[in-house]
């Protein structure tokens, strides 16, 4: 690494971490959000996110999501960032009528 630039810390492996939040319902969700970042939170489930009627961008990268079960339709969602999780498929995700971009790299799809 260049002087003054810190190398990123290695991402914990699923078998040696203690989750901060096991699911979204354990985190506080604010009403009226347009952008929500839950990246790097060790999430294993989206249970509890519910419908967020104003949400446009959702960052969920660098977690331990294995499925998109419980991910409800977000009526205004345009961008969904799912990179570097443990997703083996996109099954379980309900239709997202306004979704324009989805990032899924770094998953065993």
């Amino acid at each position: 690494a260049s002087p003054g630039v810190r190398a990123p810390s290695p991402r914990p492996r699923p078998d040696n971490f203690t989750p901060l939040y096991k699911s979204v319902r354990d985190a506080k969700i604010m009403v009226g959000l347009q952008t929500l970042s839950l990246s790097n939170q060790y999430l294993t489930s989206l249970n509890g996110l519910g419908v967020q009627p104003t949400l446009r961008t959702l960052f969920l990268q660098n977690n331990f999501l294995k499925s998109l079960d419980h991910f409800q339709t977000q009526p205004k969602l345009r961008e969904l960032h799912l990179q570097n999780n443990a997703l083996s498929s996109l099954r379980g995700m309900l239709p997202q009528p306004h979704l324009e971009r989805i990032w899924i790299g770094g998953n065993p799809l």
Side-chain angles (χ1 to χ4, degrees):
S2 303
V5 176
R6 189 187 310 194
S9 356
R11 183 169 178 238
R13 293 188 1 234
D15 57 345
N16 68 352
F17 77 96
T18 303
L20 298 175
Y21 306 108
K22 289 186 180 179
S23 72
V24 178
R25 74 171 172 239
D26 297 329
K28 291 186 180 198
I29 304 297
M30 298 178 70
V31 176
L33 286 178
Q34 290 189 6
T35 301
L36 177 60
S37 178
L38 293 170
S39 300
N40 303 299
Q41 296 300 310
Y42 305 101
L43 293 174
T44 58
S45 170
L46 295 175
N47 189 19
L49 180 60
V51 175
Q52 303 296 323
T54 59
L55 189 62
R56 293 177 180 258
T57 304
L58 181 56
F59 294 95
L60 292 166
Q61 66 265 38
N62 302 317
N63 283 295
F64 296 102
L65 298 171
K66 291 183 180 179
S67 80
L68 295 176
D69 292 343
H70 308 290
F71 186 61
Q72 298 184 15
T73 298
Q74 305 299 324
K76 293 191 178 180
L77 188 67
R78 300 219 185 294
E79 294 185 15
L80 180 58
H81 298 259
L82 293 166
Q83 307 96 306
N84 302 317
N85 277 282
L87 295 170
S88 57
S89 82
L90 297 179
R91 279 182 284 180
M93 184 170 85
L94 295 174
Q96 306 298 320
H98 294 284
L99 191 63
E100 296 172 354
R101 295 182 186 107
I102 183 170
W103 286 268
I104 56 173
N107 285 286
L109 293 170

